[in-house]
């Protein structure tokens, strides 16, 4: 029986952990411990909230480790659970050689990109922003440098231009769990990891996304803005300025010049102008090229609404200017 220490923190990683736990019935591996970030203070009263990964582990009575740093105390605690291999998805820390020496078979990492393209912490966002036609979910060996490990398994995924980051991360969690389970099966049967292959091609890197990155520039084309809205959904969420207030844009569709004009939108209007409301398409905003039809949005301090409900309560929105 292969004993696994699982490392991760956010929702997508919790999904993978749940699926791996569900698959342990009759499998040749078990999750003997979980490594995740410490609970974070949230809300007005600073209530400590555990990570989604910790929540899943607690539900299944799996030991949880939440060290601030992977120091000697953390290593001693982890060593006590006797894990044979480390499985990681979105833990957010680099593992040093002393920590990796705890595991007989080393470690593996699920990374949702076609490595070596989009190493770093926001690969899914980058693939959507760049309007790539395909991406991949990769399981790699854990290396001492960020996302430079060899490839153990990889699944290529076609993109149709409608995916959000939330959707793709969920898909990565599901497909990644299947890839990891297959690798653990091989490890159990053969006593070694599957054959590896090195990453081939030019590496590119992604970084932390800020709220300012998600501010919409209406001078861009409708296709570029659509990619922004999808890439920053669910977090931090694309937004724009409506006077002195912010307006979040969660969903919409890109329209060409011809499509907008056929609906009655003024092609001579300046970028950011809210041109018209169309019951079938949404609220049309002029872009540098084409129109963006907003379908789901949230005014500052208000609830998220679909475009029809929004327009029922905001009569003076048409003709306003977003910045």
């Amino acid at each position: 029986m292969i004993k696994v220490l699982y490392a991760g923190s956010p929702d997508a990683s919790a999904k993978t952990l749940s699926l791996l736990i569900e698959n342990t019935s009759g499998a040749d591996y078990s999750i003997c411990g979980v490594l995740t970030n410490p609970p974070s203070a949230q809300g007005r009263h600073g209530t400590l909230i555990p990570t989604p990964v910790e929540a899943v582990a607690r539900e299944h009575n799996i030991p949880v480790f939440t060290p601030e740093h992977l120091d000697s105390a953390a290593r001693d605690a982890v060593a006590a659970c006797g894990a044979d291999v480390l499985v990681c998805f979105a833990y957010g820390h680099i593992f040093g050689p002393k920590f990796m020496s705890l595991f007989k078979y080393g470690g593996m990492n699920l990374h949702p990109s076609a490595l070596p393209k989009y190493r770093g912490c926001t690969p899914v966002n980058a693939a959507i922003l760049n309007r790539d036609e395909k991406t991949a979910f990769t399981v790699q060996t854990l290396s001492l440098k960020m996302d430079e490990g060899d490839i153990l398994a990889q699944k290529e995924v076609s993109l149709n231009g409608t995916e959000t980051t939330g959707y793709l991360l969920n898909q990565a969690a599901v497909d990644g769990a299947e890839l990891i389970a297959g690798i653990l099966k091989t490890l159990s049967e053969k006593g070694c990891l599957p054959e590896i292959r090195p990453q081939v091609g030019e590496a590119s890197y992604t970084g932390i996304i800020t709220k300012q990155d998600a501010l919409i520039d209406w001078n861009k084309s409708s296709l570029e803005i659509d990619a922004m809205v999808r890439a920053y959904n669910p977090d931090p969420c694309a937004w724009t300025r409506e006077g002195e207030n912010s307006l979040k844009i969660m969903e919409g569709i890109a329209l060409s010049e011809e499509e907008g004009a056929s609906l009655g939108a003024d092609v001579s209007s300046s970028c950011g102008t809210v041109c018209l409301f169309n019951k079938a398409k949404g609220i049309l905003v002029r872009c540098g090229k084409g129109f963006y039809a907003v379908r789901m949005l949230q005014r500052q301090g208000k609830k998220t609404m679909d475009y029809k409900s929004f327009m029922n309560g905001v009569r003076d929105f048409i003709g306003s200017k977003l910045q």
Side-chain angles (χ1 to χ4, degrees):
M1 176 72 71
I2 299 297
K3 298 175 71 176
V4 176
L5 177 72
Y6 185 88
S9 292
D11 286 321
S13 186
K15 177 76 171 182
T16 297
L17 175 60
S18 293
L19 292 171
L20 288 173
I21 292 171
E22 290 175 11
N23 194 50
T24 54
S25 178
D28 292 324
Y29 71 86
S30 64
I31 310 296
C32 66
V34 161
L35 180 66
T36 188
N37 287 326
S40 58
Q42 297 181 19
R44 181 180 302 174
H45 303 291
T47 304
L48 291 177
I49 305 297
T51 67
V53 163
E54 178 176 351
V56 169
R58 299 290 186 197
E59 288 175 10
H60 294 86
N61 298 313
I62 297 173
V64 177
F65 307 98
T66 59
E68 290 280 358
H69 306 285
L70 297 179
D71 53 18
S72 59
R75 292 195 298 272
D76 290 343
V78 166
C81 75
D84 299 303
V85 65
L86 173 64
V87 172
C88 179
F89 179 24
Y91 177 50
H93 301 272
I94 298 292
F95 300 104
K98 290 182 180 179
F99 189 83
M100 291 307 302
S101 69
L102 300 174
F103 308 100
K104 178 180 178 180
Y105 298 111
M108 66 187 81
N109 176 57
L110 172 59
H111 187 77
S113 86
L115 288 171
K117 192 174 185 180
Y118 304 141
R119 291 173 178 170
C121 58
T122 52
V124 170
N125 311 76
I128 294 175
L129 280 172
N130 292 329
R131 290 183 280 156
D132 292 348
E133 294 182 353
K134 61 183 179 180
T135 187
F137 307 140
T138 304
V139 181
Q140 58 174 157
T141 58
L142 275 167
S143 71
L144 299 180
K145 295 184 178 180
M146 184 176 61
D147 300 327
E148 292 190 14
D150 294 323
I151 294 173
L152 290 163
Q154 191 172 68
K155 180 176 180 178
E156 188 172 282
V157 180
S158 297
L159 303 178
N160 60 24
T162 64
E163 298 86 359
T164 65
T165 289
Y167 171 84
L168 277 181
L169 283 175
N170 183 73
Q171 196 59 49
V174 174
D175 291 345
E178 184 176 345
L179 294 175
I180 291 167
I183 294 169
L184 292 173
K185 185 175 188 296
T186 298
L187 180 58
S188 175
E189 292 174 349
K190 298 184 178 181
C192 63
L193 293 170
E195 182 177 351
I196 60 175
R197 59 183 175 89
Q199 297 183 29
V200 177
E202 184 177 355
S204 60
Y205 296 85
T206 64
I208 295 172
I209 291 170
T210 67
K211 180 182 177 181
Q212 196 61 29
D213 292 326
L215 176 60
I216 296 172
D217 178 0
W218 294 103
N219 291 297
K220 292 185 175 182
S221 71
S222 59
L223 288 173
E224 290 174 297
I225 291 170
D226 176 63
M228 280 188 67
V229 171
R230 293 184 293 108
Y232 299 133
N233 179 341
D235 185 64
C237 194
W239 64 286
T240 186
R241 293 188 181 93
E242 181 194 7
E244 296 182 355
N245 297 318
S246 64
L247 181 70
K248 291 183 177 180
I249 309 295
M250 270 78 78
E251 183 182 315
I253 53 175
L255 301 177
S256 66
E257 300 276 321
E258 294 75 18
E259 288 174 314
S262 69
L263 296 173
D266 183 2
V267 296
S268 66
S269 57
S270 60
C271 297
T273 300
V274 181
C275 293
L276 63 83
F277 165 63
N278 181 274
K279 289 185 178 180
K281 296 293 185 180
I283 302 168
L284 272 64
V285 183
R286 184 67 165 121
C287 307
K289 183 178 181 181
F291 296 84
Y292 188 68
V294 179
R295 297 179 65 84
M296 194 70 66
L297 63 170
Q298 181 183 16
R299 233 174 186 171
Q300 187 172 328
K302 304 294 184 180
K303 294 181 179 180
T304 300
M305 295 183 178
D306 65 81
Y307 65 101
K308 294 179 182 178
S309 300
F310 180 88
M311 288 304 299
N312 283 337
V314 184
R315 298 295 181 183
D316 59 347
F317 194 52
I318 303 303
S320 61
K321 184 73 175 289
L322 304 178
Q323 296 179 335

